[in-house]
Structure formats: C-alpha cells, structure tokens
Amino acid sequence: LIGEPYMVKATGIDPEALVQGAIRFAPTSGGIFIDMAIHDIDLMRWFLGEDPVEVYASGATFKHPEFKAAGDDETGVAMYKCKSGKIGFVHVGRTAPYGYHVETEIVGTEGTLRISPVPEKNLCMIYDKDGAVKECVSGFPERFAEAYLLEMQEFIDCVQTGRKPEVKVYDGTKSTQIAFATTQSYKEGKPVAIAY
C-alpha cells in the first residue's frame, strides 16, 4: 500500500517513573544506543530491506545529570544512511513524563504507515477534571504482551516441527554492529562508516 519504503523513523522513550533504575544501570549499560535502540535498528533494517552504511548520532541531558556523570545521556538521536539512499532515524530516551512511548513511521513512495503515534493504553476515553484523557501505556510488558506471546508460540512451533526460525543469529549480530557504530559516532561527534 505504501510502495517501496525509503525512510523509517522510530521512537522509543522509557517512562520517567522508571528513570532511577535507568540511572543505576547507566554506568554498565553500554550506552543509550546499545541499551535502547537495538530493536529499532533491527526494525529499520527489516522495513528498509537494507543495512545502513553510515551513521551520525548525538545525545543530550537536561533533567538528570547522573547520566552525564556515567558518560551517557538521557536522550539520543541517530540518522542512518543506506547505500541506495534510504534513510533511518532513531530517537530514544529515558524520561517520557506520561508513560512508555514507542512509535514507528515507515515512509514509502506511495504513502506512509504511522504506528502508535499516541502511546494509548486502550480505546477508552476518560472524561474527568483533567478533560478528555486517554491513558498511556505504563511499560514494555503491557505494550508488547501480544508480541511476547507470538514470539513464544513461534519458538514452540519451531521446536515441535523442527523448522528453523526466519530470524537468524546474523540478524542480531548485524544490529549489534550497527549499534556499536552508532555509539562510536555519538562519542566521537561525527559520522561513522559502518563496517560489516
């Protein structure tokens, strides 16, 4: 329906309510991009059907200086460029004041898909002293409950039938290489060529 995808924009921001755990984890997490962007990188590769060849990444901290003290940031952004010209943008963070925000946009030659632009919990609208309100998802177990179930069903089916899963170790190692290059760009403050 959207033609050939040529750009992916992904956002993943953890809730501010969990920030103390993220602060404790920051010194050993591997950095914001390895900690938080790996699944978005994986999705970008899949949606674009291509691996990026260059990345530029940056980060910022405005609320919790403990991240800077750990050599990290509370927010990070990265732009990826593929050989064909396709583009990826990843925005990750640790301080969404309203809940857990995961959003993906896939732009194609004939249209756009925008998935979860509002991190709503359900289809219920609450009318109260605050106005008309939609509750937000509190965390990833709630947001991805069905995905986890489908993942377990796929695993069990592969074991029972002897079928190999479509996702290979290669997919994980590629995404990890991209995440390390992203971290390198973030630390060096300049674009980095991604070597495979």
Side-chain angles (χ1 to χ4, degrees):
L1 290 174
I2 67 166
E4 181 179 0
Y6 65 85
M7 182 165 42
V8 170
K9 296 187 273 183
T11 297
I13 311 172
D14 281 349
E16 170 77 26
L18 302 177
V19 75
Q20 291 305 315
I23 289 169
R24 285 191 300 276
F25 183 52
T28 58
S29 75
I32 192 165
F33 294 104
I34 292 169
D35 177 27
M36 297 198 63
I38 195 74
H39 300 302
D40 298 306
I41 291 167
D42 215 18
L43 282 172
M44 175 188 65
R45 294 181 60 238
W46 188 62
F47 286 131
L48 296 178
E50 189 174 351
D51 291 320
V53 294
E54 187 177 76
V55 59
Y56 175 71
S58 186
T61 294
F62 292 97
K63 193 167 184 181
H64 299 283
E66 300 94 329
F67 287 112
K68 279 285 189 206
D72 204 2
D73 271 310
E74 64 191 23
T75 298
V77 293
M79 184 177 88
Y80 300 89
K81 183 171 74 174
C82 297
K83 188 175 181 180
S84 70
K86 293 179 180 181
I87 302 167
F89 295 96
V90 171
H91 166 212
V92 290
R94 296 173 166 132
T95 57
Y98 46 83
Y100 182 63
H101 189 137
V102 172
E103 177 180 348
T104 306
E105 189 171 357
I106 304 116
V107 180
T109 54
E110 306 300 324
T112 297
L113 298 174
R114 194 157 182 207
I115 303 159
S116 194
V118 177
E120 56 195 349
K121 186 173 191 166
N122 52 43
L123 299 177
C124 178
M125 179 74 78
I126 301 167
Y127 300 91
D128 65 7
K129 63 180 176 36
D130 296 317
V133 178
K134 285 196 173 227
E135 290 182 302
C136 290
V137 172
S138 62
F140 66 88
E142 181 180 13
R143 169 68 174 84
F144 294 108
E146 184 181 4
Y148 293 136
L149 177 62
L150 292 172
E151 185 178 55
M152 287 186 278
Q153 288 173 340
E154 170 71 2
F155 175 77
I156 291 166
D157 183 61
C158 286
V159 170
Q160 289 178 334
T161 64
R163 179 176 57 83
K164 291 190 184 267
E166 289 181 36
V167 177
K168 309 282 188 265
V169 170
Y170 172 80
D171 293 305
T173 57
K174 271 281 183 101
S175 296
T176 302
Q177 286 176 302
I178 296 166
F180 275 104
T182 305
T183 300
Q184 180 184 348
S185 173
Y186 161 74
K187 287 182 178 180
E188 295 177 0
K190 63 183 181 181
V192 167
I194 303 172
Y196 298 102

